[in-house]
Amino acid sequence: MRTAFLASLCGLLFVGTLIVSAQSTVSPVEGTWKTTHTNDDGNTASTVYQFHASDGRLTGQVEVAWGNLSIEQGTISDGRFAFQIHMGESIWKYDGQVKDGNLSITVHDPNMPAATLSATRLTEEQSRFVAIPPPPLHVVPSNGLAKTPLMGWNSWNYFQGRITDAIVRQIADAMVSSGMRDAGYTYINIDDTWEGPRDSSGQLHPNKKFADMKALADYVHARGLKLGLYSSPGTETCAGYPGSYGHEEQDAATFAAWGIDYLKYDWCSAFRLYPDGDMRAIYQRMGDALRKTGRPVVFSISSGGKEHVWTWGRLAGANLWRTTDDINPGWKRIENIGFSQSELAQWSGPGGWNDPDMLEVGNGHLTPDEQRTHMSLWALLAAPLITGNDLRSMSAETAAILTNREVIAIDQDALGVTGRRILQMGLIEVWTKQLANHQLAVGVFNRADHAQVAEFDWNALGLNHPAQARDLWQHKDIPLTGDRFRREIPAHGTVLLRFRP
Ligand code: GLA
């Protein structure tokens, strides 16, 4: 007891000394620090820390490749510090010490073994990096691609950083054997984590997961498919791999030489170089660079829906632009994204499409009804149908949902009109999409967690006593009588109909 009391008294005295010294001198941790870390793919990524120390508290931020994260619960005492940050839904803890001007920091990522890195101090000049000025705005002429919404597959939703050359080849084979290619899915897109180092001439190479990108493109092309890649206008991609900053024309030429047909270009660390207001000019720079290659390359803007990208994406040379932050395979996220797109309909059409993010059909624990709703809503939205599941092992039910040609035909309709919400009755919603030849697609959705009866007058949709509709999930013509629709719809379920005049 007495010892404990003495110890706490010493502690108090000690803290007292620290406070006095903190008031009179700047803490040695104060300032901007940078760590670099090489991962198993051979990629070197950097993290920048801005530390402020005062009265035993450590505040500031950690700059990762895709944003600034605030330091929480930071403490510093006698050069030893600890803090945490919220990295998406998980908490990463850090601790370390500064001694004789050297700072070491240990990162406790809950999914990885702890790693201790030494940091170097950035001078004020180094922290005040001046970016290449954005080009003056102009309109990038259309590349003539994407007359209907893009269809394909992307590695991110399921594989994230685990994507390899071997998996891409297996996915290409599965695309063919599952009937996906013949249903219209053509692009195989490699998302983040393929990028390797640049050589002394600035030429970008794939990392060791991808031995030969040209050979991989040949393999994919030989199966009647197309190959897509991913980059960023920043120095680093969102996962911390090399971006195209300062190498836009060189990278576009490299991609074209490899035989790449699609580029997803993700804002990520460009936020460190440019204010969001410069986005159009910066995307235009890559739009111009791709055009200059002479190769038809689909250009996809991924910027989390910032800066009303739908109003200018097409002018920057893009064929699709993300309207939202990332999707995940949870019903709530899919529901929030899908049902919030009605207002953006006017901006999407042949050559340039709103992109509410890739499909999660076949991922996570979505019910069959939720998967059909996801697919139906994306089709009504004329959204790109870029699947994100493991095509090598998908269930027959998932394959049937993804290859439902009657639903795909709604998405791919030649008129290129984007559907809108027409009726909202509590958690029942009715969306329509005008189709070519005066036809109409109608989706009736039940967003409730329980079955509900949906009921409304046909004339609320501008339909006059229709005698028949095609049910696109039941694959049958259904006779209609009376002037009202009435049907029980399961929780999170959909009825999708096509009307012919
Ligand atoms: C961002 C994008 C995702 C994916 C990752 C890759 O989060 O929105 O679709 O491309 O980057 O790091």
mmCIF file of all heavy atoms in Angstrom, residues 171-199:
data_model
loop_
_atom_site.group_PDB
_atom_site.id
_atom_site.type_symbol
_atom_site.label_atom_id
_atom_site.label_comp_id
_atom_site.label_asym_id
_atom_site.label_seq_id
_atom_site.Cartn_x
_atom_site.Cartn_y
_atom_site.Cartn_z
ATOM 1 N N ILE A 171 -10.310 -17.192 -63.653
ATOM 2 C CA ILE A 171 -11.570 -16.439 -63.753
ATOM 3 C C ILE A 171 -11.975 -16.315 -65.225
ATOM 4 O O ILE A 171 -13.149 -16.464 -65.578
ATOM 5 C CB ILE A 171 -11.424 -15.041 -63.097
ATOM 6 C CG1 ILE A 171 -11.273 -15.179 -61.575
ATOM 7 C CG2 ILE A 171 -12.589 -14.127 -63.471
ATOM 8 C CD1 ILE A 171 -12.520 -15.542 -60.806
ATOM 9 N N ALA A 172 -10.990 -16.057 -66.101
ATOM 10 C CA ALA A 172 -11.298 -15.946 -67.532
ATOM 11 C C ALA A 172 -11.885 -17.264 -68.038
ATOM 12 O O ALA A 172 -12.883 -17.279 -68.769
ATOM 13 C CB ALA A 172 -10.034 -15.575 -68.310
ATOM 14 N N ASP A 173 -11.298 -18.381 -67.617
ATOM 15 C CA ASP A 173 -11.834 -19.687 -68.021
ATOM 16 C C ASP A 173 -13.259 -19.882 -67.495
ATOM 17 O O ASP A 173 -14.141 -20.360 -68.205
ATOM 18 C CB ASP A 173 -10.941 -20.828 -67.491
ATOM 19 C CG ASP A 173 -9.575 -20.842 -68.181
ATOM 20 O OD1 ASP A 173 -9.447 -20.193 -69.239
ATOM 21 O OD2 ASP A 173 -8.648 -21.482 -67.638
ATOM 22 N N ALA A 174 -13.457 -19.493 -66.208
ATOM 23 C CA ALA A 174 -14.783 -19.667 -65.592
ATOM 24 C C ALA A 174 -15.818 -18.756 -66.252
ATOM 25 O O ALA A 174 -16.994 -19.114 -66.353
ATOM 26 C CB ALA A 174 -14.700 -19.378 -64.090
ATOM 27 N N MET A 175 -15.363 -17.600 -66.690
ATOM 28 C CA MET A 175 -16.272 -16.664 -67.374
ATOM 29 C C MET A 175 -16.868 -17.342 -68.602
ATOM 30 O O MET A 175 -18.046 -17.178 -68.907
ATOM 31 C CB MET A 175 -15.473 -15.417 -67.772
ATOM 32 C CG MET A 175 -16.289 -14.252 -68.208
ATOM 33 S SD MET A 175 -16.961 -13.392 -66.800
ATOM 34 C CE MET A 175 -16.381 -11.747 -67.096
ATOM 35 N N VAL A 176 -16.024 -18.123 -69.288
ATOM 36 C CA VAL A 176 -16.480 -18.809 -70.496
ATOM 37 C C VAL A 176 -17.329 -20.025 -70.112
ATOM 38 O O VAL A 176 -18.467 -20.177 -70.560
ATOM 39 C CB VAL A 176 -15.278 -19.249 -71.367
ATOM 40 C CG1 VAL A 176 -15.747 -19.998 -72.602
ATOM 41 C CG2 VAL A 176 -14.438 -18.031 -71.756
ATOM 42 N N SER A 177 -16.798 -20.901 -69.223
ATOM 43 C CA SER A 177 -17.486 -22.176 -68.950
ATOM 44 C C SER A 177 -18.814 -21.982 -68.217
ATOM 45 O O SER A 177 -19.718 -22.794 -68.343
ATOM 46 C CB SER A 177 -16.567 -23.118 -68.149
ATOM 47 O OG SER A 177 -16.261 -22.520 -66.915
ATOM 48 N N SER A 178 -18.949 -20.876 -67.465
ATOM 49 C CA SER A 178 -20.195 -20.654 -66.716
ATOM 50 C C SER A 178 -21.285 -20.043 -67.585
ATOM 51 O O SER A 178 -22.410 -19.877 -67.126
ATOM 52 C CB SER A 178 -19.920 -19.705 -65.547
ATOM 53 O OG SER A 178 -19.505 -18.444 -66.070
ATOM 54 N N GLY A 179 -20.929 -19.660 -68.801
ATOM 55 C CA GLY A 179 -21.937 -19.018 -69.655
ATOM 56 C C GLY A 179 -22.012 -17.512 -69.451
ATOM 57 O O GLY A 179 -22.815 -16.824 -70.085
ATOM 58 N N MET A 180 -21.167 -16.986 -68.551
ATOM 59 C CA MET A 180 -21.188 -15.541 -68.271
ATOM 60 C C MET A 180 -20.781 -14.744 -69.516
ATOM 61 O O MET A 180 -21.389 -13.736 -69.835
ATOM 62 C CB MET A 180 -20.228 -15.205 -67.125
ATOM 63 C CG MET A 180 -20.629 -15.759 -65.784
ATOM 64 S SD MET A 180 -21.780 -14.700 -64.918
ATOM 65 C CE MET A 180 -20.761 -13.290 -64.530
ATOM 66 N N ARG A 181 -19.737 -15.192 -70.203
ATOM 67 C CA ARG A 181 -19.293 -14.451 -71.391
ATOM 68 C C ARG A 181 -20.424 -14.383 -72.413
ATOM 69 O O ARG A 181 -20.722 -13.308 -72.938
ATOM 70 C CB ARG A 181 -18.068 -15.116 -72.025
ATOM 71 C CG ARG A 181 -17.598 -14.363 -73.270
ATOM 72 C CD ARG A 181 -16.638 -15.165 -74.119
ATOM 73 N NE ARG A 181 -17.292 -16.374 -74.646
ATOM 74 C CZ ARG A 181 -16.661 -17.336 -75.319
ATOM 75 N NH1 ARG A 181 -15.360 -17.263 -75.512
ATOM 76 N NH2 ARG A 181 -17.319 -18.392 -75.763
ATOM 77 N N ASP A 182 -21.077 -15.516 -72.632
ATOM 78 C CA ASP A 182 -22.118 -15.528 -73.661
ATOM 79 C C ASP A 182 -23.346 -14.731 -73.236
ATOM 80 O O ASP A 182 -24.151 -14.331 -74.076
ATOM 81 C CB ASP A 182 -22.471 -16.976 -74.028
ATOM 82 C CG ASP A 182 -21.287 -17.659 -74.720
ATOM 83 O OD1 ASP A 182 -20.366 -16.933 -75.174
ATOM 84 O OD2 ASP A 182 -21.266 -18.899 -74.783
ATOM 85 N N ALA A 183 -23.469 -14.500 -71.925
ATOM 86 C CA ALA A 183 -24.577 -13.650 -71.453
ATOM 87 C C ALA A 183 -24.211 -12.164 -71.571
ATOM 88 O O ALA A 183 -25.045 -11.305 -71.303
ATOM 89 C CB ALA A 183 -24.927 -14.004 -70.008
ATOM 90 N N GLY A 184 -22.952 -11.863 -71.929
ATOM 91 C CA GLY A 184 -22.577 -10.460 -72.176
ATOM 92 C C GLY A 184 -21.443 -9.915 -71.315
ATOM 93 O O GLY A 184 -20.978 -8.803 -71.536
ATOM 94 N N TYR A 185 -20.975 -10.704 -70.336
ATOM 95 C CA TYR A 185 -19.902 -10.211 -69.446
ATOM 96 C C TYR A 185 -18.556 -10.379 -70.157
ATOM 97 O O TYR A 185 -18.089 -11.504 -70.351
ATOM 98 C CB TYR A 185 -19.891 -10.989 -68.129
ATOM 99 C CG TYR A 185 -21.153 -10.819 -67.304
ATOM 100 C CD1 TYR A 185 -22.238 -11.676 -67.454
ATOM 101 C CD2 TYR A 185 -21.257 -9.782 -66.375
ATOM 102 C CE1 TYR A 185 -23.401 -11.523 -66.694
ATOM 103 C CE2 TYR A 185 -22.411 -9.626 -65.613
ATOM 104 C CZ TYR A 185 -23.471 -10.497 -65.780
ATOM 105 O OH TYR A 185 -24.614 -10.331 -65.028
ATOM 106 N N THR A 186 -17.936 -9.258 -70.526
ATOM 107 C CA THR A 186 -16.730 -9.352 -71.363
ATOM 108 C C THR A 186 -15.444 -8.905 -70.674
ATOM 109 O O THR A 186 -14.384 -9.411 -70.990
ATOM 110 C CB THR A 186 -16.871 -8.436 -72.601
ATOM 111 O OG1 THR A 186 -18.193 -7.964 -72.678
ATOM 112 C CG2 THR A 186 -16.526 -9.135 -73.857
ATOM 113 N N TYR A 187 -15.532 -7.910 -69.790
ATOM 114 C CA TYR A 187 -14.291 -7.346 -69.233
ATOM 115 C C TYR A 187 -13.860 -8.109 -67.982
ATOM 116 O O TYR A 187 -14.666 -8.358 -67.089
ATOM 117 C CB TYR A 187 -14.487 -5.858 -68.882
ATOM 118 C CG TYR A 187 -14.599 -5.005 -70.124
ATOM 119 C CD1 TYR A 187 -15.838 -4.756 -70.708
ATOM 120 C CD2 TYR A 187 -13.462 -4.481 -70.734
ATOM 121 C CE1 TYR A 187 -15.941 -3.995 -71.862
ATOM 122 C CE2 TYR A 187 -13.558 -3.722 -71.892
ATOM 123 C CZ TYR A 187 -14.796 -3.484 -72.448
ATOM 124 O OH TYR A 187 -14.893 -2.740 -73.601
ATOM 125 N N ILE A 188 -12.579 -8.445 -67.928
ATOM 126 C CA ILE A 188 -11.977 -9.023 -66.722
ATOM 127 C C ILE A 188 -11.065 -7.916 -66.190
ATOM 128 O O ILE A 188 -10.040 -7.603 -66.826
ATOM 129 C CB ILE A 188 -11.102 -10.245 -67.077
ATOM 130 C CG1 ILE A 188 -11.905 -11.303 -67.828
ATOM 131 C CG2 ILE A 188 -10.382 -10.797 -65.857
ATOM 132 C CD1 ILE A 188 -12.471 -12.393 -66.998
ATOM 133 N N ASN A 189 -11.439 -7.332 -65.084
ATOM 134 C CA ASN A 189 -10.706 -6.156 -64.608
ATOM 135 C C ASN A 189 -9.892 -6.460 -63.354
ATOM 136 O O ASN A 189 -10.439 -6.879 -62.332
ATOM 137 C CB ASN A 189 -11.676 -5.008 -64.314
ATOM 138 C CG ASN A 189 -12.363 -4.512 -65.581
ATOM 139 O OD1 ASN A 189 -11.885 -4.765 -66.684
ATOM 140 N ND2 ASN A 189 -13.469 -3.816 -65.422
ATOM 141 N N ILE A 190 -8.597 -6.232 -63.455
ATOM 142 C CA ILE A 190 -7.711 -6.402 -62.297
ATOM 143 C C ILE A 190 -7.716 -5.074 -61.550
ATOM 144 O O ILE A 190 -7.320 -4.046 -62.102
ATOM 145 C CB ILE A 190 -6.281 -6.754 -62.746
ATOM 146 C CG1 ILE A 190 -6.301 -7.991 -63.651
ATOM 147 C CG2 ILE A 190 -5.381 -6.950 -61.540
ATOM 148 C CD1 ILE A 190 -4.969 -8.250 -64.343
ATOM 149 N N ASP A 191 -8.162 -5.106 -60.325
ATOM 150 C CA ASP A 191 -8.217 -3.886 -59.509
ATOM 151 C C ASP A 191 -6.858 -3.701 -58.819
ATOM 152 O O ASP A 191 -5.831 -4.241 -59.264
ATOM 153 C CB ASP A 191 -9.384 -4.012 -58.508
ATOM 154 C CG ASP A 191 -9.963 -2.683 -58.068
ATOM 155 O OD1 ASP A 191 -9.354 -2.046 -57.184
ATOM 156 O OD2 ASP A 191 -11.007 -2.267 -58.598
ATOM 157 N N ASP A 192 -6.856 -2.967 -57.746
ATOM 158 C CA ASP A 192 -5.629 -2.570 -57.044
ATOM 159 C C ASP A 192 -4.783 -3.775 -56.609
ATOM 160 O O ASP A 192 -5.310 -4.845 -56.387
ATOM 161 C CB ASP A 192 -6.043 -1.762 -55.809
ATOM 162 C CG ASP A 192 -4.981 -0.786 -55.373
ATOM 163 O OD1 ASP A 192 -3.861 -0.854 -55.882
ATOM 164 O OD2 ASP A 192 -5.296 0.054 -54.505
ATOM 165 N N THR A 193 -3.513 -3.532 -56.473
ATOM 166 C CA THR A 193 -2.432 -4.415 -55.954
ATOM 167 C C THR A 193 -1.723 -5.223 -57.037
ATOM 168 O O THR A 193 -1.007 -6.161 -56.730
ATOM 169 C CB THR A 193 -2.851 -5.366 -54.791
ATOM 170 O OG1 THR A 193 -3.560 -6.489 -55.315
ATOM 171 C CG2 THR A 193 -3.695 -4.665 -53.732
ATOM 172 N N TRP A 194 -1.883 -4.849 -58.316
ATOM 173 C CA TRP A 194 -1.100 -5.513 -59.368
ATOM 174 C C TRP A 194 0.206 -4.765 -59.632
ATOM 175 O O TRP A 194 1.145 -5.300 -60.221
ATOM 176 C CB TRP A 194 -1.897 -5.591 -60.685
ATOM 177 C CG TRP A 194 -2.120 -4.238 -61.325
ATOM 178 C CD1 TRP A 194 -3.198 -3.432 -61.154
ATOM 179 C CD2 TRP A 194 -1.217 -3.527 -62.182
ATOM 180 N NE1 TRP A 194 -3.026 -2.253 -61.858
ATOM 181 C CE2 TRP A 194 -1.818 -2.289 -62.501
ATOM 182 C CE3 TRP A 194 0.049 -3.809 -62.722
ATOM 183 C CZ2 TRP A 194 -1.209 -1.333 -63.323
ATOM 184 C CZ3 TRP A 194 0.660 -2.855 -63.541
ATOM 185 C CH2 TRP A 194 0.025 -1.637 -63.836
ATOM 186 N N GLU A 195 0.262 -3.473 -59.177
ATOM 187 C CA GLU A 195 1.305 -2.556 -59.625
ATOM 188 C C GLU A 195 2.650 -2.869 -58.963
ATOM 189 O O GLU A 195 2.706 -3.200 -57.788
ATOM 190 C CB GLU A 195 0.918 -1.109 -59.288
ATOM 191 C CG GLU A 195 -0.489 -0.697 -59.714
ATOM 192 C CD GLU A 195 -1.574 -1.032 -58.691
ATOM 193 O OE1 GLU A 195 -1.357 -1.909 -57.834
ATOM 194 O OE2 GLU A 195 -2.634 -0.417 -58.754
ATOM 195 N N GLY A 196 3.689 -2.710 -59.755
ATOM 196 C CA GLY A 196 5.033 -2.954 -59.219
ATOM 197 C C GLY A 196 5.840 -1.684 -59.237
ATOM 198 O O GLY A 196 5.284 -0.614 -59.381
ATOM 199 N N PRO A 197 7.122 -1.808 -59.127
ATOM 200 C CA PRO A 197 7.941 -0.596 -59.101
ATOM 201 C C PRO A 197 8.109 -0.006 -60.498
ATOM 202 O O PRO A 197 7.875 -0.683 -61.506
ATOM 203 C CB PRO A 197 9.274 -1.107 -58.580
ATOM 204 C CG PRO A 197 9.305 -2.547 -58.953
ATOM 205 C CD PRO A 197 7.893 -3.035 -58.983
ATOM 206 N N ARG A 198 8.524 1.252 -60.529
ATOM 207 C CA ARG A 198 8.965 1.871 -61.794
ATOM 208 C C ARG A 198 10.462 1.650 -61.919
ATOM 209 O O ARG A 198 11.176 1.674 -60.917
ATOM 210 C CB ARG A 198 8.715 3.385 -61.757
ATOM 211 C CG ARG A 198 7.282 3.728 -61.851
ATOM 212 C CD ARG A 198 7.037 5.222 -61.937
ATOM 213 N NE ARG A 198 5.607 5.416 -61.792
ATOM 214 C CZ ARG A 198 4.722 5.241 -62.752
ATOM 215 N NH1 ARG A 198 5.126 4.922 -63.978
ATOM 216 N NH2 ARG A 198 3.436 5.386 -62.538
ATOM 217 N N ASP A 199 10.938 1.498 -63.150
ATOM 218 C CA ASP A 199 12.388 1.393 -63.330
ATOM 219 C C ASP A 199 12.978 2.789 -63.502
ATOM 220 O O ASP A 199 12.261 3.793 -63.404
ATOM 221 C CB ASP A 199 12.734 0.433 -64.480
ATOM 222 C CG ASP A 199 12.199 0.915 -65.824
ATOM 223 O OD1 ASP A 199 11.976 2.135 -65.970
ATOM 224 O OD2 ASP A 199 12.013 0.067 -66.714
#
